[in-house]
Amino acid sequence: MNAAIAEIICVGTELLLGEILNSNSQYLAQQLATLGITHHYQNVVGDNKERLQKTLAIAAGRANLIIFTGGLGPTPDDLTTEAIAEFFDVPLVEQPEVWADIQRKYASIGRQVTANNRKQALLPQGAEILPNPIGSAPGMIWQPTPGLLILTFPGVPAEMQIMWQQTAVDLLRSQRLSTETFFSRVLLYWGISESQLAEQVQHLFASQNPTLAPYANFGQARLRITARAENQAAAEKLIEPVQAEILSLTGEYCYGNDHDTLASVVGKLLIQHNQTLAVAESCTGGWLGQMLTEVPGSSAYFLGGIISYSNAVKADLLNVNRDDLDRYGAVSTQVAEQMAIGVKQKLQSNWGISITGIAGPDGGSAQKPVGLVYIGLADPEGNVDAIEARFSPSKGRNWVRKLSAYSALARLRKRFVMIGV
Amino acid sequence: MNAAIAEIICVGTELLLGEILNSNSQYLAQQLATLGITHHYQNVVGDNKERLQKTLAIAAGRANLIIFTGGLGPTPDDLTTEAIAEFFDVPLVEQPEVWADIQRKYASIGRQVTANNRKQALLPQGAEILPNPIGSAPGMIWQPTPGLLILTFPGVPAEMQIMWQQTAVDLLRSQRLSTETFFSRVLLYWGISESQLAEQVQHLFASQNPTLAPYANFGQARLRITARAENQAAAEKLIEPVQAEILSLTGEYCYGNDHDTLASVVGKLLIQHNQTLAVAESCTGGWLGQMLTEVPGSSAYFLGGIISYSNAVKADLLNVNRDDLDRYGAVSTQVAEQMAIGVKQKLQSNWGISITGIAGPDGGSAQKPVGLVYIGLADPEGNVDAIEARFSPSKGRNWVRKLSAYSALARLRKRFVMIGV
């Protein structure tokens, strides 16, 4: 095939109604960029056969790789496969193995297949199955005319992404639609803003290969280093010296790379030290525990915790002094410290972390505004202290809660880094 | 003008590289839907004059309202205005008041205007200014040919949105491009698949006003009823009988509407009954507590919980029998029941919910595979029982955990519904 020019067509009336954000386009755009495949246009069209076919006609006139998402479900308005087949005047054929697979998937979760589901087993004659390991609807790989490749994916992002990774990437490389590799490494930061970070590495932004770009995601600054090379190993080699220079300038704030999370990094540190952790959560209500247990294998160091949402639970289960609760309030250094000690003792862990704060929208005062949070840390040597944080309440209750949980993990990580690992 | 058919064109190479999420399309789609203006297509094109003009040519052939975002900045790759003017063969004219305004805005923040900025004061002859109260680049309102209206906005979402609200909405109403309102209600389901749901209400899919559409989001089936009328109240009236019919057919599975969550619905039920809740979480690690405390005001009924990730915590803090832990295992009916009773007693709540399961990826066996979860419920009368659930492990650890937490909330809701509220 010639150099690939891709085009993305997302199908779904929910996109035209603005009910969902088109994250599939962004994902595919990033993926195409990574593979060095150019695309010039993205399209969104509703669940309408005629308009879907018009969009396909235009795309087929200017691209040789068309990627569809959406419209593969079992309901009557899911008509992507049918519309594409009809456009090329090719009949639909039932794929017995797909139908068997759909029936098996439904049976395994104790559900009945319906007549509607059978439609999902139809593909145009000559098309191949693009397997969907986690959902009922497979996609297709089809070359309806010479020099034109069509791939279809479901609209559910998790399904689309795993299908892309497991099948499409290799396919595009084997068909020589992708001949270059763009490889990125993302450095993850906590405790420094995007603009502060950018200032420290400003002299590197002029670099062409690799390129360096700063961005922020959920309040966390990041740096992306992207290299272009013939394969990933060569790209990584280009990235290494730039990464080393960045870390020598900003290393203390960088907690990890790529798929690391604060929770996974803290988990590795606890395993290295052969230590355990317990959490006492008030305003976060379990979020910190949830983040810690997101990491497979976290039972090696995370014992559990106490969600002390009410003051009675703080006193009864965490042994927080009732007089201190009255005198200083539940959101205070004193209570945060006692919560951390209490959970450490109750669960017999090496470390205890506590969070108590005012997440809002109500419950704030002039002295203790919404966004005020205390994070307590009780260490294996029996020391305890709490730090105060003030998060902007303007982004809402969950923002305050999420930043509180992140900050608690960052506190523990920082303590380990200070000890020296 | 005739009934409006709009089309959205977002301009920006950063969208083609996947560097930003296209939130402007979603915003505009929602706004158009609310105004009752149909749109059939959304387009994304890079900072390239020729391709922008090709996209415009196609859109002008099928829409009478074209909305552009992006490409109004001062740099050479910002070429939206220029490309549109050239397409219609109309010269650009400098707008003295825009140029004065740009100079004033820059001076006010102590910055020098550059020669590049002067470009932002150019509009096609005959176009009107679409004022930008917060940024330097204004948009335009232009009718280049009879029956075609073009609006341009900057790509910065905050600027685009305020310009839309302050100018575009009134303009579209005054030009009678918006004469109707579309209003949607979304019914939220748990415990029924999208295809099962669709089958039960299949006879309603032919309805034209309101329309009915099924979809799934994060494993939950939904039905969207959308009515078209002269105002929201009239639209709601059209929705009512259809909603009533749907609920008479599927009501037991419908837990709420629109912005409800399982946690907020459970919260309302607890408040109605003046009862409190505590949670005991193993594999979810705090996720259930996190969901419950996402709801503002949840301290009225949620006391807290115990994250009993280790068996020692199950025994020591929840009084789960150690022999039963050995005999039946931590993931068992017996342990789930004892966890629910234990947390209810420890926190002195009316209800206790427990979750214990195998989230994976490791820890499964032939008898107890990954995805096996027990959800215990201890009620105010002292009864307790646990149900078994088997979630597909193929979507990963967090999917199992999330479904477990949702299912626990759904269990409590169902119990209330059975009692009769």
Side-chain angles (χ1 to χ4, degrees), chain B residues 347-361:
Chain B
L347 276 77
Q348 297 173 44
S349 57
N350 300 112
W351 293 88
I353 302 185
S354 67
I355 301 175
T356 179
I358 303 163

Side-chain angles (χ1 to χ4, degrees), chain B residues 74-97:
Chain B
T75 65
D77 63 350
D78 291 306
L79 39 70
T80 300
T81 309
E82 181 188 336
I84 298 171
E86 187 183 287
F87 178 81
F88 290 104
D89 204 12
V90 170
L92 290 166
V93 182
E94 183 171 297
Q95 311 288 312
E97 68 272 41

Side-chain angles (χ1 to χ4, degrees), chain B residues 105-125:
Chain B
K105 278 173 177 158
Y106 271 71
S108 77
I109 52 169
R111 279 168 60 183
Q112 292 283 325
V113 288
T114 65
N116 282 334
N117 288 112
R118 193 146 192 168
K119 188 175 87 162
Q120 296 182 285
L122 299 175
L123 289 190
Q125 200 159 46

Side-chain angles (χ1 to χ4, degrees), chain A residues 16 19 293 305 307 397 401, chain B residues 39 224 293 305 307 397 401:
Chain A
L16 295 183
E19 284 173 356
T293 55
I307 305 172
R397 174 179 178 80
R401 285 159 28 94
Chain B
H39 82 291
R224 184 184 59 230
T293 55
I307 305 171
R397 174 179 178 80
R401 285 158 28 94

Side-chain angles (χ1 to χ4, degrees), chain B residues 118-182:
Chain B
R118 193 146 192 168
K119 188 175 87 162
Q120 296 182 285
L122 299 175
L123 289 190
Q125 200 159 46
E128 280 174 70
I129 297 162
L130 204 174
N132 180 346
I134 58 174
S136 62
M140 69 170 171
I141 301 164
W142 190 30
Q143 206 170 319
T145 59
L148 176 64
L149 179 65
I150 291 178
L151 305 180
T152 65
F153 296 86
V156 180
E159 297 181 17
M160 188 270 287
Q161 292 176 20
I162 199 165
M163 290 164 69
W164 180 268
Q165 293 300 339
Q166 289 192 355
T167 305
V169 172
D170 283 347
L171 174 80
L172 296 172
R173 287 204 193 278
S174 72
Q175 298 224 357
R176 308 287 300 159
L177 287 165
S178 165
T179 57
E180 282 182 318
T181 293
F182 280 66

Side-chain angles (χ1 to χ4, degrees), chain A residues 371-392:
Chain A
L372 176 69
V373 177
Y374 292 90
I375 295 166
L377 186 60
D379 74 15
E381 282 74 45
N383 308 305
V384 65
D385 65 344
I387 55 166
E388 183 184 299
R390 285 166 189 266
F391 301 115
S392 163

Side-chain angles (χ1 to χ4, degrees), chain B residues 306-327:
Chain B
I306 290 172
I307 305 171
S308 56
Y309 211 58
S310 72
N311 279 357
V313 175
K314 291 182 184 74
D316 296 343
L317 288 178
L318 290 170
N319 297 325
V320 174
N321 186 294
R322 282 177 199 276
D323 290 341
D324 289 344
L325 274 168
D326 288 342
R327 192 173 316 143

